[in-house]
Amino acid sequence: MGHMVEKELARKGITLVAASEDICSVPAEVAKECVCVDFTFPESFRANYKVLAERFKAVVVGTTGWNDIRDEVIAEFERQGTPMIYSSNFSLGVIAMFAAAKRLGEVLKDRGYTPSVTETHHIHKLDAPSGTAKSLAEIVDDSLGIEPEITSIREGEVPGIHTLELLSGVDKITLTHEAFSREGLACGAVVAVEMTEGLKGVHEFKDLIL
């Protein structure tokens, strides 16, 4: 992801100041003028989020697997006055899928539809269900009033497929997003970087887009 974000930054003419697996190694005087894009591991973000909030001008977080401490993270960034944009998936196509899922839930609420979510990823993915699947399920639960069952599949080198199925006694609606690569995540993350200019507070990416 780091290389893809770097490529997208270059395409948009945005300067990359530093690229490091050890975010704490970035000098404080440099960090305070920069937006940090964090695509690491859950344990790394858990260990480093206070440093990110303290040192950087703004932070874009694509790392997942820390939802259980979300309130603590948000509180720390708000305490430090550091803008943060986070998302389980920065793909603009996935954000559009979230919007469609929300509308479907609103239209079909109390109409006899049962939802389910299936996500398929490469065998190297560590978390299951994916953060995107959890976000999709949450949106459906909020709009339809029924929490979907999530099925996770790990096979080959699949970048990511997410499917929402809404089944009734008379028909079935299927909504699918398939990523061909992880480039879409990088493109969306850089859009988020641009959105941090003048931004205050902590925001989920989809809330800024939709």
Side-chain angles (χ1 to χ4, degrees):
M1 278 306 303
H3 292 303
M4 291 182 184
V5 170
E6 183 176 352
K7 180 180 178 181
E8 182 63 11
L9 289 171
R11 189 183 74 81
K12 287 200 167 186
I14 300 173
T15 302
L16 176 66
V17 175
S20 175
E21 294 182 1
D22 179 14
I23 200 64
C24 298
S25 68
V26 178
E29 63 272 17
V30 174
K32 69 179 180 180
E33 302 297 331
C34 295
V35 177
C36 173
V37 180
D38 187 294
F39 279 96
T40 54
F41 297 102
E43 59 271 21
S44 298
F45 180 75
R46 288 168 182 270
N48 295 333
Y49 77 86
K50 291 183 179 180
V51 174
L52 300 181
E54 178 185 359
R55 293 189 183 181
F56 284 88
K57 178 182 178 181
V59 180
V60 171
V61 182
T63 305
T64 59
W66 51 273
N67 193 59
D68 58 310
I69 60 166
R70 179 167 56 178
D71 290 346
E72 298 168 38
V73 172
I74 291 174
E76 180 65 20
F77 275 83
E78 290 180 340
R79 188 179 72 82
Q80 295 286 355
T82 304
M84 181 178 87
I85 300 175
Y86 68 97
S87 183
S88 59
N89 194 313
F90 276 99
S91 165
L92 295 176
V94 166
I95 301 302
M97 183 186 190
F98 287 167
K102 178 181 179 182
R103 185 59 182 144
L104 282 169
E106 292 169 345
V107 171
L108 300 177
K109 185 177 176 63
D110 300 324
R111 302 294 183 185
Y113 283 82
T114 301
S116 62
V117 172
T118 301
E119 58 97 354
T120 304
H121 283 88
H122 51 83
I123 59 174
H124 315 290
K125 187 169 180 60
L126 299 178
D127 58 327
S130 68
T132 302
K134 291 178 181 178
S135 294
L136 181 58
E138 182 179 337
I139 288 168
V140 174
D141 189 15
D142 288 343
S143 60
L144 186 67
I146 303 173
E147 183 177 359
E149 179 181 344
I150 303 176
T151 299
S152 298
I153 301 170
R154 298 289 174 264
E155 62 181 27
E157 299 297 330
V158 179
I161 304 172
H162 292 87
T163 297
L164 167 64
E165 182 179 286
L166 294 155
L167 181 65
S168 76
V170 296
D171 60 9
K172 178 174 70 175
I173 300 170
T174 303
L175 183 64
T176 296
H177 177 273
E178 179 177 357
F180 299 145
S181 72
R182 302 184 75 187
E183 289 184 25
L185 303 177
C187 292
V190 173
V191 169
V193 167
E194 295 173 314
M195 295 175 76
T196 62
E197 187 65 34
L199 188 70
K200 296 184 182 300
V202 177
H203 305 270
E204 191 166 0
F205 186 52
K206 66 180 177 62
D207 294 335
L208 295 174
I209 295 292
L210 301 181

